[in-house]
Structure formats: structure tokens, C-alpha cells
Amino acid sequence: MNRLSEIPSERVDGRRLRSERTRQLIIEAYMALVRESSQIPTAVQIAERAGYSVRSIFERFPDMHALRVAVTDHAIAEGRTQGALRDVEGDRMTRIRSHVEQRGRGCERWLPLWRVLSTQNDESPELKKRMRMIRELVRMRLELMFQRELSSVVDPQRRHTVIALEALTDFENWGRMRELYGLEFEQAAQVWIRAFDRLLPPTPAES
């Protein structure tokens, strides 16, 4: 009796795992298409890339907007994992280079998605909220990486410095350096590194 009662639960768990896997593949297909074309993909294109039917998409997402929100949430989670703080105890230039290189890699990976979301956020409070969250995470990271320098000044200079650094490292600014001006990754990183060094307050001497 107990063995029979376990079978339906196992089948349900198996279906749930397969459904979650399908959901993940749909999200990954969306992101791959965006990186290739920088355009909002259609349900047909996503289904073809993921290897499922269009019906499979709408069995897991009520509409395309819900899919975009799920893709954004996935990007935020991945970005937080890949953007873990490094070299926090390093000297000034080590921290600047570490932050800039991580931010540059993030821009390389997520700029196409950011552009697609930017065309939709005015129509979607959910997307607008998540885009604010992404900027807030960048700001928080700046404050942690450069706490030594920022702690040496008071508001409003401190706040204005953080705002300037966050604006400097915006997705589109990276894209402009790479696409419009044709800079290689390291060249674009050097532009940001020099700007950071000028914008940050002096590093307090070690006691």
C-alpha cells in the first residue's frame, strides 16, 4: 500500500523537474536570441531555439511579458553570482581594476538584454523595478569596493561621487566605447580605470 502511494508522488516530482528544465531552456533560448540579434524574439523563434513547441512556452509563462520578467530575474541572479566581490582588501589600483574588469565583463554579457528591456520598461512596472534594482546593486558594489576612499568625504560629495561612478559604468557607456569608438576590451577598461582614479577621493593613508 505504501509503495503504491509513493509512485504518484515520484511521477509528480519527475514531471516538475522536467517542467523546470524546460522553463530554464526557454529562458536560455530567449537570452541567446537577444545576444545574437539585439531584438525582442518571438515565441516561435524561442520555441525553435529551445527545441519545444510554442504551446510549451505558454504552459510555463502566461504571456511574453512574464517570460521577459523571468529572463530578467535570471540575469540578476546570474549577475550577482558572477559579480561577487573580489580584491576588496587590495590597494587602490587593484580594486579599481578588479571592479572595472568585472563590470566590463558584465556589460559584454548583458548589454543586448539591457537594451531590449529598456524598450519595454516604460510599459512594465515590473521591468522598471528590476532595472532600478540592477542599478542599485551596482551602486552598493561601488560603496563596498571603495569604502576607504568614500569614507574620507561626507555628503553630498560622497553621494555625488557614487552617482558619477555608477553613471560612468552604465551599460550604454560601455557599448559606446566598444561599438562606436571600436575600443578593444582592455582599451575600454583602461578608459574606465583612469576615470575612476580621477573621480575617487584620495585613499587615506594606512595607520
Side-chain angles (χ1 to χ4, degrees), residues 28 52 159 164:
E28 290 174 4
Y52 295 102
R159 179 170 178 271

Side-chain angles (χ1 to χ4, degrees), residues 5 17 44 51 70 88 101 104 108 118 127 137 149 177 198-199:
S5 65
L17 288 172
V44 171
V88 183
E101 289 183 347
E108 291 279 303
S118 296
L127 289 178
L137 289 170
E149 290 78 15
M177 290 191 294
R198 290 183 175 90
L199 286 169

Side-chain angles (χ1 to χ4, degrees), residues 30-74:
Y30 187 107
M31 292 191 298
L33 289 165
V34 167
R35 290 193 184 102
E36 290 173 8
S37 68
S38 297
Q39 301 293 322
I40 300 172
T42 66
V44 171
Q45 290 171 326
I46 296 165
E48 289 177 351
R49 174 58 66 91
Y52 295 102
S53 65
V54 171
R55 178 181 175 183
S56 294
I57 295 175
F58 293 111
E59 285 175 344
R60 288 156 185 84
F61 304 95
D63 51 37
M64 293 298 289
H65 174 260
L67 174 55
R68 282 191 290 273
V69 171
V71 169
T72 308
D73 286 341
H74 176 83

